[in-house]
Amino acid sequence: MTNTEILKKLFLAFAKDDKEEFYRLAEEYIEREKKKKHNIVAKELKEALYASKFSNKSIIGRSYKNSIPIPRDTEKGFPLVEIKEYDIDWDSLILPEKTLQLLKQIVKEFRDADILATYNLKPKNKILFCGEPGTGKTYSAQTISSVLHIPLIYVRFDSIISSYLGETAANLRKVFDFIESGTWVVLFDEVDIIGKNRDDHYEHGEIKRVVNNFLQMLDTFEGNSIIIAATNHQHILDPAIWRRFDEIVYFDLPSENERLKLLELYLKSIKKNKIDLAQYAKKTEGFSPSDIRMTCIEAIKYTILNDSDQLTTSELDYALSRFIERINIRNRGGNA
Ligand SMILES: Nc1ncnc2c1ncn2[C@@H]1O[C@H](COP(=O)(O)OP(=O)(O)O)[C@@H](O)[C@H]1O
Ligand SMILES: [Mg+2]
């Protein structure tokens, strides 16, 4: 499509009041500007596109910086949440089509909450991400925040736990009060502390209490945000937890086809000399997306530092063998 064709379709979508098509085309146009490295134009267009969305909700977008102060731990004074903004698009998230559709549906329901509301329906907004480490749980939350243009509130679950009795519940309350003051994508990351309780210095009862507290607050949560909880250890979560979520998304290790896409993605920035990536998709069985990314970065580094601008099988093989060694050491460590 030429730019003129996109603009023409954009106008038509506006005329037909087809919001979804309008946003899709506008986003596509912005993407093209980005690809041409017209970054300032892209940024301005993006801000213009979402200007109305930002202005009629008080605390999202830039204005959050003036909103209520970030909650802090009373005793130690450290912040309980971090607010972050990302710029990731769907294309850089490699997942099975089924999983991507689930994520896109969450975004769609949130975007069209006003349409759902006319039917007395609410968007899904309590989501559990579970599965293997390095498969994109945190990354997917960042992507959802990016495509919605809503800042991500990042809450590391263990930072809420205070060594002072009673303080934990107060911390959690503060976090929820903060969330309820605005519109965000909220990520409670690594909520699997429950499984670590045995060798922790935290009292077992305290952990149970905080989890129950969390679930209660989740139950009564009425805010205008998407709450995502992520865990690598879904099997240790209490069955009571599962009921509280509107959607559960499982992140599996990538298939051969997905591994190929990941290799292409993470080696995109370098010229390749006679490399059959399909072979490497086979060789990386059992690798997570994060493992593949790290291997690719290593291979690119070897290439560049060898004063070459072309990746060959020798750098890729070397990076791969180093990574496999690493996995072996990790497994030998025995603290699975
Ligand atoms: N499905 C994926 N597609 C593309 N990149 C991924 C994917 N999963 C992970 N990555 C890369 O690996 C990094 C670490 O993954 P992360 O989302 O932290 O894993 P998890 O939270 O599941 O342990 C991400 O920042 C991203 O660069
Ligand atoms: Mg993570």
Side-chain angles (χ1 to χ4, degrees):
M1 257 197 294
T2 64
N3 277 355
T4 313
E5 279 165 343
I6 294 192
L7 283 177
K8 196 170 130 193
K9 287 195 169 170
L10 189 75
F11 293 173
L12 276 172
F14 177 78
K16 283 188 288 188
D17 205 15
D18 185 343
K19 219 161 91 182
E20 197 174 313
E21 178 74 354
F22 179 84
Y23 276 107
R24 197 186 62 73
L25 290 161
E27 289 274 5
E28 185 170 337
Y29 192 87
I30 293 170
E31 269 313 301
R32 286 173 168 235
E33 292 296 322
K34 255 201 219 160
K35 285 207 177 103
K36 284 188 250 165
K37 298 267 182 273
H38 298 165
N39 290 330
I40 296 175
V41 175
K43 186 166 171 282
E44 282 179 3
L45 287 177
K46 210 166 200 174
E47 279 174 5
L49 182 61
Y50 293 100
S52 66
K53 276 213 153 160
F54 284 150
S55 60
N56 59 21
K57 287 182 187 155
S58 58
I59 308 186
I60 66 171
R62 275 165 220 310
S63 55
Y64 69 78
K65 285 176 185 114
N66 311 320
S67 70
I68 70 170
I70 289 197
R72 288 175 183 276
D73 179 273
T74 321
E75 293 298 333
K76 303 198 189 80
F78 60 75
L80 296 168
V81 307
E82 286 173 75
I83 305 179
K84 298 182 172 180
E85 283 178 273
Y86 295 89
D87 192 9
I88 306 169
D89 49 39
W90 291 119
D91 291 343
S92 46
L93 184 60
I94 311 294
L95 291 170
E97 197 47 41
K98 222 175 74 194
T99 314
L100 264 182
Q101 286 315 321
L102 278 181
L103 300 178
K104 287 184 178 172
Q105 178 69 18
I106 292 165
V107 165
K108 195 168 171 190
E109 290 192 10
F110 193 78
R111 227 177 231 159
D112 288 335
D114 44 349
I115 301 178
L116 291 178
T118 59
Y119 292 87
N120 238 335
L121 296 169
K122 281 187 188 149
K124 291 189 177 120
N125 70 346
K126 296 166 193 175
I127 323 286
L128 181 66
F129 284 178
C130 54
E132 301 286 323
T135 47
K137 297 181 293 299
T138 303
Y139 198 56
S140 295
Q142 294 166 350
T143 307
I144 289 177
S145 148
S146 300
V147 297
L148 281 172
H149 304 277
I150 295 176
L152 183 85
I153 296 203
Y154 185 85
V155 191
R156 262 194 69 101
F157 209 76
D158 55 7
S159 76
I160 289 182
I161 298 184
S162 166
S163 43
Y164 296 90
L165 206 65
E167 198 60 34
T168 302
N171 281 347
L172 207 51
R173 185 69 263 161
K174 278 189 246 175
V175 169
F176 268 87
D177 284 346
F178 184 76
I179 297 168
E180 284 173 4
S181 76
T183 297
W184 326 90
V185 173
V186 186
L187 175 61
F188 284 92
D189 213 3
E190 315 200 358
V191 293
D192 31 62
I193 46 157
I194 326 153
K196 298 179 192 152
N197 54 14
R198 260 167 291 142
D199 37 285
D200 248 322
H201 64 278
Y202 305 119
E203 190 201 334
H204 182 80
E206 178 77 347
I207 307 260
K208 267 208 137 132
R209 259 195 307 278
V210 66
V211 172
N212 282 333
N213 250 310
F214 174 67
L215 294 179
Q216 275 163 16
M217 289 186 201
L218 202 61
D219 268 351
T220 54
F221 175 75
E222 283 293 342
N224 191 19
S225 296
I226 297 181
I227 297 190
I228 299 170
T231 175
N232 294 333
H233 301 279
Q234 67 276 6
H235 50 279
I236 58 172
L237 290 182
D238 198 274
I241 293 196
W242 296 80
R243 279 185 286 117
R244 317 291 174 113
F245 292 96
D246 304 324
E247 186 70 81
I248 295 175
V249 186
Y250 181 71
F251 290 72
D252 212 342
L253 287 176
S255 66
E256 187 176 323
N257 180 35
E258 284 142 25
R259 294 198 297 276
L260 178 60
K261 286 192 198 162
L262 286 158
L263 288 162
E264 283 164 356
L265 174 70
Y266 287 116
L267 293 172
K268 195 170 59 182
S269 63
I270 192 147
K271 275 187 238 151
K272 286 160 234 46
N273 188 343
K274 297 198 207 108
I275 294 186
D276 180 10
L277 287 182
Q279 285 303 317
Y280 288 89
K282 286 202 168 66
K283 287 185 195 173
T284 46
E285 187 171 0
F287 278 48
S288 71
S290 172
D291 296 340
I292 291 178
R293 174 173 170 269
M294 277 156 81
T295 307
C296 291
I297 292 174
E298 284 297 292
I300 291 175
K301 278 190 193 160
Y302 298 141
T303 310
I304 298 169
L305 296 179
N306 277 335
D307 277 335
S308 168
D309 62 350
Q310 292 200 8
L311 179 78
T312 68
T313 51
S314 104
E315 288 90 20
L316 201 49
D317 284 335
Y318 183 61
L320 203 65
S321 68
R322 288 301 322 271
F323 205 88
I324 290 171
E325 261 172 50
R326 214 179 130 136
I327 293 177
N328 288 339
I329 297 172
R330 188 166 75 194
N331 292 345
R332 225 179 298 146
N335 49 358

